[in-house]
Amino acid sequence: MNQNLNPMDLNFNKNEDHNKLLLSNLKQQFAKVKLGGGEKRIEKLHSEGKMTARERIDYLLDAKAKCIEIGAFVGDGMYAEHGGCPSGGVVVKLGYIKGKQCVVVANDATVKAGAWFPITAKKNLRAQEIAMENRLPIIYLVDSAGVFLPLQDEIFPDKEHFGRIFRNNAIMSSMGITQISAVMGSCVAGGAYLPIMSDEAMIVDKTGSIFLAGSYLVKAAIGESIDNETLGGATTHCEISGVTDYKAKDDKDALDRIKNIIGKIGDYNKAGFNREKSEKPALDENEIYGILPKARNEPYDMYEIIKRLVDNSEFDEYKAGYGQTLITAYARIDGWAVGIVANQRKIVKTKNGEMQFGGVIYSDSADKATRFIANCNQKKIPLVFIQDVTGFMVGSKSEHGGIIKDGAKMVNAVSNSVVPKFTVIVGNSYGAGNYAMCGKAYDPRLIFAWPSAELAVMGGTQAAKVLAQIEASSLKAKGEIVDEQKETELFDKIKARYDAQTSPYYAAARLWTDAIIDPLETRTWISMGIEAANHSPIEKKFNLGVIQV
């Protein structure tokens, strides 16, 4: 325990209770998500001799080895008019097969028979992006009815839609990234190309099928009468068409074949990121729950969070006395050398006596971060951004001092960084602060949030005040009477809607973040992320480009 912290302190206990309640809610929500389309549909799969998507992945991945799930809450609260789409109808995990790190993608046939919603395509593309960036083998466990037709206009024709999947198949093949597919159920229409564009494909006898058009459509289109098994079953494609390479007798047989193939893959060229023996933090990680405040506008000391994330609770701070609303430091996480850029939430006093508000990026902070990011790129040290940011400092003094120029330099450095970046959103993630601290638009290898996170252009109270004023003015212009009670009603209504959109679940549902996690899982996510990035040697040089000095 740090001498500055008191576990008997009332605020510490209130914070701890609040954050553990958020964590409990996270676990409850995840338990629902894991059921996919529900217990009845799971039972139906089992009666057909099939495993569920999660059962298939669990069987495929090495037992007792660590793994992380990407996009578990994708689709949360979306498509209610179509019955919902838990986890986007597809499960994606980063884990180990025969000791080799791999990305595994499995259609969840309990959700609309594995049909592709718009968010399903986005999640599949994210899985491929992770495999491509890190040059990791990717496994597709196919069991899908194809595009969800009522929403075909939102999934079919655009650049980041369904067709991009096959384009990525081709690009990954040219990059030498291993792709293996197992057809364990339906694989129809355009989706039939995915397994066949993989390096190797297998199909499960009697339950797997591949065809561009099923028997009913064939009958309607050309008048031919044929059953689906003869049209595109395992025997057809393994013995007649040659479309697939292996026939498996059941799900486990197919998964065992994948294990055997992965187990024979040779070693990879490494990026060479520095790693030593892992050490646990010297301070109790569980104290994070008591340090992180219940209210998002309360100050706290980010140093205390960092000490509970890094090995031995030790770090070497860069420019400690300058730009103090950003912490920049070298440290190790699970043995890996990292450069940390974190928002300091304490109100700090500069040497000239000025006060700087926590969570705000000032010109000196942005200038420091730019230099530190450049140093990490020169030294080939991965970057970890810990976000609790309300934005850049505003006002005449900041504008006259060139805050936009200094902020632009930081954004430039983040954008052009060639070392892998990882983003942890522990609290606020507002406006341009989200961008400068490596938000989703800036290509972090992994970006994930704690249950306490909020993502928005600005905080709910400020935004609701602005929007309520605009709406009140509009009503007054129409001749309506807007008294104090009406203004309060407008504010409360708008704030409730805005707060719902700042929720970490809202962000995770849309894949603005890869996951919502227990803070104690942070070290695992960063460590596995750097291990994945180590598969991909850095081929570009860091170049800051043109900036205003």
Side-chain angles (χ1 to χ4, degrees), residues 28-70:
Q28 290 173 22
Q29 297 283 15
F30 183 57
K32 293 179 183 177
V33 161
K34 287 175 69 175
L35 292 175
E39 292 180 351
K40 287 186 178 179
R41 291 179 181 172
I42 291 174
E43 290 173 6
K44 185 175 183 295
L45 272 188
H46 288 164
S47 70
E48 295 170 353
K50 297 165 69 174
M51 303 164 74
T52 67
R54 292 183 179 277
E55 288 168 346
R56 288 165 176 168
I57 293 178
D58 289 345
Y59 183 84
L60 183 61
L61 295 180
D62 293 348
K64 298 182 180 179
K66 291 181 179 179
C67 71
I68 57 178
E69 181 169 350
I70 307 296

Side-chain angles (χ1 to χ4, degrees), residues 486-541:
K486 181 66 173 178
E487 287 182 345
T488 301
E489 289 174 358
L490 283 173
F491 173 81
D492 291 342
K493 180 181 177 182
I494 292 171
K495 187 174 186 303
R497 184 177 71 239
Y498 198 88
D499 285 347
Q501 293 178 355
T502 66
S503 160
Y505 294 93
Y506 191 91
R510 289 151 183 81
L511 211 54
W512 301 343
T513 61
D514 291 317
I516 307 170
I517 70 164
D518 181 344
L520 302 190
E521 296 174 355
T522 302
R523 282 168 53 85
T524 295
W525 272 73
I526 293 172
S527 177
M528 288 190 67
I530 297 176
E531 182 182 349
N534 205 35
H535 287 70
S536 182
I538 297 173
E539 297 172 349
K540 291 173 61 179
K541 287 187 176 181

Side-chain angles (χ1 to χ4, degrees), residues 23 57 120 192 213 225 263 368 378 394 403 466 485 508:
L23 180 59
I57 293 178
T120 313
S225 296
K368 175 172 77 170
Q378 185 182 60
V394 297
I403 184 65
V466 173
Q485 181 180 347

Side-chain angles (χ1 to χ4, degrees), residues 23 74 410:
L23 180 59
V74 161
M410 182 176 174

Side-chain angles (χ1 to χ4, degrees), residues 310-329:
V310 301
D311 291 14
N312 283 324
S313 300
E314 296 174 346
F315 54 87
D316 299 310
E317 189 169 5
Y318 174 81
K319 289 185 180 291
Y322 178 70
Q324 294 178 63
T325 62
L326 273 181
I327 299 169
T328 50

